[in-house]
Amino acid sequence: MRVQHFGGAHSLTTTVQVANQDVFVDIGLYSMWHGGTEYGAGIAHVSQIVSASGVENFSTEWNSLASPSALFRKNVTSVTFKVEVFEAQAMARWMIYTWG
């Protein structure tokens, strides 16, 4: 996933459907830069997961510990990953590990 915006804040989400699997999900930034400004910021996290536990929405506030980058759940049907930037460009990779 790649998101870029040098005029303020911007975000990109990707939702992946999963067929009732036990999963470990992970997302991480692998590139982040800001061009010509004094500061920039980027974050990658899981914003929602739907599983046997129900629908879980995670905080989208910057630097929130409630915005996980990795977690495990049983009987998952969908995962939404989110990358956010402020005055920057960021690229992230996400993975879903499944058990049969």
Side-chain angles (χ1 to χ4, degrees), residues 2-92:
R2 177 183 171 272
V3 62
Q4 171 181 311
H5 194 61
F6 296 108
H10 192 62
S11 66
L12 176 68
T13 60
T14 297
T15 300
V16 180
Q17 302 299 315
V18 183
N20 290 320
Q21 295 283 316
D22 295 351
V23 302
F24 178 80
V25 299
D26 179 41
I27 186 169
L29 289 176
Y30 68 84
S31 175
M32 211 272 313
W33 63 275
H34 54 93
T37 61
E38 293 182 25
Y39 55 89
I43 186 172
H45 58 94
V46 177
S47 61
Q48 183 185 71
I49 192 162
V50 181
S51 68
S53 301
V55 177
E56 296 175 82
N57 293 301
F58 300 100
S59 174
T60 58
E61 292 184 29
W62 288 91
N63 299 321
S64 172
L65 295 176
S67 300
S69 60
L71 53 87
F72 173 83
R73 294 293 185 271
K74 293 186 173 207
N75 298 321
V76 171
T77 56
S78 73
V79 180
T80 301
F81 298 100
K82 187 172 190 176
V83 178
E84 298 179 76
V85 296
F86 180 78
E87 301 284 341
Q89 171 184 292
M91 290 187 281

